[in-house]
Amino acid sequence: MAERRKFKKRYCKYCEMKVDYIDYKDLNLLKFSLSERFKIMPRRLTGNCKRHQELVTVAIKRARQTALIPYIVDRKNVVENPFEFVK
Ligand SMILES: [Zn+2]
């Protein structure tokens, strides 16, 4: 008998929100797939579908190039909420 894994039921937030295109300027969308240190969360943690994970990866890389999100976050800065500026 297959044992049930620990993680919650998988669902893709982007599918739920019916997002067709993820804009790199839309940090509110990107933050679902970013860790608190602005790393891209792996799909096994976010539960995103493959299509949206690819879209979001491209968008995050683009956002980094345009300096919308940092490549590296210092330890000091992690204390604060990194998404404060998004609101
Ligand atoms: Zn999806």
Side-chain angles (χ1 to χ4, degrees), residues 11-19 22 47-53 55:
Y11 68 97
C12 174
K13 290 192 186 70
Y14 301 103
C15 283
E16 200 176 59
M17 288 158 68
K18 295 200 167 64
V19 179
I22 297 172
N48 288 348
C49 66
K50 188 169 185 239
R51 196 172 71 90
H52 280 117
Q53 180 70 18
L55 283 173

Side-chain angles (χ1 to χ4, degrees), residues 5 16 28 47 61-62 67 72-73 82 85:
R5 297 234 171 146
E16 200 176 59
N28 279 316
K61 285 177 179 168
R62 220 170 262 173
I72 295 163
V73 179
F85 68 92

